[in-house]
Amino acid sequence: MSESERRLIRAVIVDDEPHARDKLCRYLAEDPRVAVVGQAGDGVSAVALVEELRPDLIFLDIQMPEMDGFDVLEALDLDPMPRIVFVTAHDAHAVQAFEVEALDYLLKPVDHGRFVEAVGRAVASIQGTGPDPHPLKVLDALPGERRRLERFLVRGRGRMQFVAVADVDWIGAAGNYVELHVGEATHLVRGTLQALEHRMPEATFARIHRSTIVNLDRVAELHPWSHGDLQVVLHDRTELRLSRRYRDRLEGMFGP
């Protein structure tokens, strides 16, 4: 037997309902290959716990208050990512996305036989004998009606806190991260502008450059720049570049 087969698979259960966590724990206790190393009852705690423990496998509930399962998935700053088994009560659109990306999911109330099947597939994936789908791809497969962002989970000074989307002045690209500029503060959040653009409130946020999204409520002036580009000046006098590709929307608001 190989080392990977002998090593216990470390699992974390994330669900805001204690009885749901207890049920999954009971089911997992029957499988000698898996050990539950932690539980979380909300999204913020889940992010902290998973990043601390770095488990092999997460059973992740979708419908949770404040931060749902997708928010947790986006907030995790781990490489490689753990395998994810999503748990959902009634999210038909999410189920379609899971199927597109070959990710496993369990419908509540969780059936024991279906659970055993999902664990078997997860174990095979972790041990390298099964498919290895990337959980973050499910975010791109979700339908357009997925709810808009209302706030970001940011890290700083040894703690995590929420920043309201409406408080963000502008957002800049930073590799595999984005920078949230909020007054004099800057917060680094995992993600890309392309993925973020489609989740921002369309009435108040707009892409103005391949590396910039701006809060339109913060725009004070537009000035000619060069080669058809414009300069966007915010109320705090921050200067940003508006490329020709993205001019139409802002020119419609502020005039040519």
Side-chain angles (χ1 to χ4, degrees):
M1 184 178 290
S2 69
E3 180 181 349
S4 63
E5 290 172 323
R6 288 194 300 268
R7 183 176 68 87
L8 279 176
I9 290 170
R10 303 166 68 251
V12 164
I13 298 172
V14 179
D15 199 305
D16 64 317
E17 300 175 345
H19 72 275
R21 297 196 302 271
D22 291 343
K23 185 175 185 178
L24 295 187
C25 278
R26 291 197 307 272
Y27 285 171
L28 284 171
E30 301 172 2
D31 194 322
R33 301 169 296 179
V34 183
V36 178
V37 296
Q39 300 181 42
D42 64 83
V44 176
S45 299
V47 173
L49 182 68
V50 169
E51 292 188 351
E52 175 188 355
L53 298 179
R54 295 180 175 267
D56 307 297
L57 175 62
I58 306 173
F59 292 88
L60 182 58
D61 186 26
I62 295 176
Q63 289 90 9
M64 295 186 294
E66 296 190 348
M67 283 187 75
D68 66 18
F70 298 124
D71 293 330
V72 170
L73 189 61
E74 284 185 311
L76 289 175
D77 191 3
L78 294 177
D79 188 17
M81 287 286 288
R83 304 308 192 278
I84 307 291
V85 175
F86 292 93
V87 184
T88 178
H90 48 68
D91 197 329
H93 293 308
V95 167
Q96 292 172 10
F98 302 152
E99 292 172 344
V100 166
E101 296 302 330
L103 291 164
D104 218 337
Y105 63 92
L106 296 167
L107 293 175
K108 292 183 178 181
V110 176
D111 173 77
H112 183 268
R114 179 68 183 84
F115 178 85
V116 171
E117 181 183 336
V119 172
R121 280 201 287 262
V123 170
S125 178
I126 292 167
Q127 294 180 345
T129 59
D132 183 19
H134 199 291
L136 288 176
K137 288 185 177 180
V138 76
L139 301 174
D140 296 329
L142 288 170
E145 61 264 32
R146 184 187 170 204
R147 66 179 177 80
R148 297 287 178 184
L149 272 173
E150 296 179 357
R151 54 187 178 173
F152 294 94
L153 182 68
V154 302
R155 297 163 171 79
R157 299 180 180 178
R159 67 190 181 97
M160 291 186 288
Q161 66 184 74
F162 286 113
V163 170
V165 166
D167 292 338
V168 176
D169 301 323
W170 65 280
I171 305 170
N176 292 327
Y177 294 80
V178 295
E179 291 179 337
L180 308 180
H181 295 266
V182 187
E184 296 182 356
T186 302
H187 304 286
L188 202 61
V189 175
R190 188 179 179 92
T192 65
L193 281 190
Q194 182 176 356
L196 195 59
E197 180 182 7
H198 302 295
R199 296 198 61 204
M200 302 298 287
E202 294 180 355
T204 50
F205 282 84
R207 188 87 169 259
I208 62 170
H209 189 271
R210 61 182 176 82
S211 61
T212 314
I213 292 175
V214 70
N215 185 338
L216 298 176
D217 289 339
R218 304 295 196 272
V219 176
E221 303 168 4
L222 296 179
H223 300 294
W225 195 322
S226 63
H227 304 292
D229 291 354
L230 297 176
Q231 183 182 66
V232 179
V233 181
L234 307 189
H235 288 293
D236 65 0
R237 310 318 295 172
T238 295
E239 297 177 354
L240 304 171
R241 180 179 174 183
L242 170 61
S243 66
R244 287 177 294 174
R245 178 180 177 185
Y246 301 100
R247 281 181 59 166
D248 289 349
R249 184 174 182 191
L250 265 72
E251 285 187 336
M253 295 181 63
F254 295 94

